[in-house]
Amino acid sequence: KMNDDDTEQEQDILQLNHFYHYAGVMLLTMSLVATRGVDCIKSDMDAGTAHHLTAQFGHSSQELINLLLTGQATTNIFDNTMTLGGSLQCHGIQSRPEIGYLSQLEALRYCSVGNYYKSPKNPVWVVGSTSHFSVLFGSRECLKESKSDELLEQCRRAFKSIEGAEENGFIPVTELSTVLKQLDLDLKESVETLAASLEMSGAGIILWNDFWKKVSRLKTGALLDSVLQDDEEYARQLQAQFEAEGNANVPSNPQALTSTAIVPHSQNGLNFETYSDHSFQLVHYNGMRGGELVSVTVTRMNAEEAVGADATLVDSSAGLTGNSGIGCDDLESVIRTKFPSCMFDWKGKQPPSLH
């Protein structure tokens, strides 16, 4: 004789089986709409243009993907809400979801996935390609970030909070103090001095890369005077100092001394970890290839190299490799949008295709 718990469990299984049958995807979509509510779904979407849960030819829209992964049918995949042209608001992902999302379109440089999607609460990502969806997952190790990773993301958020910064890669000089306040940097009257050193040839703008190189050093304890020094001039001074101390291993080329050496990291207030020996494994599941499972070993580079060094505003593989995006159809190009400064070991094989 079956008890009430067994009967309830059997009914749940029978109901779940409906989703495996014909029109199961439609049933899932209808259940999502019933759960969220039609009015809430409409308010989640961007106003002013027609948005739907299904796109042309019955394909899933980004709104439906976001509804599945976050519970909100927002239109975009960047973080938070962006205001464009006054009152026009574009809604993105509002908080860290349980499951993340990576897109081949970012490797192709058509969009930029926000950090909320890239750093979910669980080490699982849905990977969107131009043909279908697959899954990437790993252990908790892959969600750990170095202090420099966190600092880079903090600076990116502050910089991109200025309207148009993400698209243009620059901010007006007049907005520098606003960005610095978000980073808890109070330079008082010295803000104008820093702004003058960062301004691009009297154009009234500050480029992201110049901003990051100097501000990252300020955030890790460097004095403003040392930050304002010309890198090449400082390298010559540092080389002369080392030579005076009898250090025979100093490179003869001043440019070989990177700006990361300006402040010893043991004295800058942050404990930077070194990931040269830190590796973790990711596994990719592709249902279109007969349920193929492919693993890759990912090794983080030395985190200290990030402070004061070049860094892209949009965290994508194209920005690092200089690739125009054409032909980025392998899995590694998409994974690099989340782990740009890492080495990948495919066990001697070529990175698998997303298709």
Side-chain angles (χ1 to χ4, degrees):
K1 182 179 179 179
M2 297 180 64
N3 57 38
D4 292 340
D5 290 339
D6 292 336
T7 303
E8 185 177 347
Q9 184 178 11
E10 186 179 64
Q11 289 176 348
D12 290 340
I13 294 175
L14 289 174
Q15 292 176 359
L16 185 61
N17 286 337
H18 289 299
F19 292 94
Y20 296 121
H21 295 165
Y22 178 74
V25 173
M26 183 62 69
L27 288 174
L28 176 61
T29 304
M30 292 172 64
S31 70
L32 288 168
V33 173
T35 302
R36 180 61 175 164
V38 174
D39 292 338
C40 285
I41 289 177
K42 288 182 177 179
S43 65
D44 290 338
M45 300 176 181
D46 289 351
T49 54
H51 296 285
H52 307 279
L53 292 181
T54 54
Q56 191 176 18
F57 308 119
H59 294 168
S60 170
S61 68
Q62 189 62 53
E63 287 84 354
L64 180 55
I65 296 171
N66 291 345
L67 180 61
L68 280 161
L69 296 179
T70 70
Q72 294 180 308
T74 53
T75 302
N76 306 285
I77 54 179
F78 49 70
D79 293 344
N80 303 316
T81 298
M82 183 181 298
T83 302
L84 301 175
S87 60
L88 177 61
Q89 289 190 329
C90 298
H91 303 293
I93 308 305
Q94 302 300 309
S95 62
R96 290 179 63 202
E98 297 290 334
I99 304 298
Y101 178 73
L102 301 176
S103 175
Q104 183 186 8
L105 293 179
E106 181 170 11
L108 294 169
R109 302 180 69 179
Y110 288 116
C111 68
S112 177
V113 179
N115 192 60
Y116 287 150
Y117 255 157
K118 288 181 179 177
S119 302
K121 295 179 181 179
N122 299 295
V124 182
W125 295 266
V126 172
V127 180
S129 72
T130 55
S131 60
H132 74 297
F133 298 97
S134 53
V135 180
L136 182 72
F137 59 93
S139 66
R140 288 283 175 184
E141 291 295 320
C142 62
L143 290 180
K144 293 181 179 180
E145 295 184 340
S146 68
K147 296 294 184 181
S148 61
D149 291 335
E150 295 173 358
L151 176 59
L152 176 58
E153 185 55 35
Q154 184 185 14
C155 289
R156 276 186 179 137
R157 284 183 186 277
F159 193 87
K160 292 192 290 186
S161 67
I162 304 303
E163 184 175 342
E166 184 169 4
E167 291 77 19
N168 301 325
F170 62 81
I171 60 172
V173 172
T174 54
E175 296 289 348
L176 178 61
S177 60
T178 303
V179 178
L180 293 179
K181 286 180 181 179
Q182 294 187 45
L183 296 172
D184 297 323
L185 284 173
D186 185 10
L187 300 182
K188 297 182 172 62
E189 64 277 0
S190 299
V191 172
E192 294 184 2
T193 304
L194 178 62
S197 71
L198 290 173
E199 184 177 1
M200 180 183 175
S201 304
I205 60 174
I206 297 174
L207 299 179
W208 156 254
N209 207 40
D210 296 332
F211 170 85
W212 162 251
K213 284 182 177 181
K214 285 185 167 60
V215 172
S216 64
R217 287 159 56 189
L218 289 173
K219 286 291 291 180
T220 52
L223 297 176
L224 181 61
D225 289 343
S226 67
V227 170
L228 293 177
Q229 290 187 71
D230 179 77
D231 289 342
E232 185 174 353
E233 174 62 26
Y234 180 79
R236 284 195 292 266
Q237 294 178 13
L238 190 61
Q239 182 176 358
Q241 176 185 340
F242 284 172
E243 288 176 347
E245 294 173 356
N247 189 334
N249 295 322
V250 176
S252 58
N253 181 7
Q255 294 293 341
L257 294 171
T258 66
S259 56
T260 57
I262 288 178
V263 180
H265 290 281
S266 60
Q267 303 174 16
N268 62 22
L270 291 178
N271 294 320
F272 280 84
E273 54 270 84
T274 299
Y275 283 104
S276 57
D277 296 325
H278 180 72
S279 300
F280 55 88
Q281 189 177 52
L282 292 174
V283 180
H284 181 248
Y285 175 79
N286 191 341
M288 293 291 285
R289 291 180 173 265
E292 181 182 59
L293 285 169
V294 178
S295 63
V296 57
T297 300
V298 183
T299 303
R300 295 183 186 271
M301 303 294 284
N302 190 337
E304 293 184 356
E305 295 176 353
V307 176
D310 291 340
T312 57
L313 177 61
V314 178
D315 192 7
S316 69
S317 59
L320 285 158
T321 63
N323 196 323
S324 63
I326 299 175
C328 294
D329 60 351
D330 61 80
L331 178 61
E332 183 174 320
S333 65
V334 177
I335 298 178
R336 281 193 179 277
T337 64
K338 162 61 181 171
F339 304 102
S341 301
C342 293
M343 296 181 294
F344 295 83
D345 182 7
W346 297 95
K347 307 298 188 296
K349 300 180 181 179
Q350 290 295 320
S353 173
L354 286 167
H355 308 299

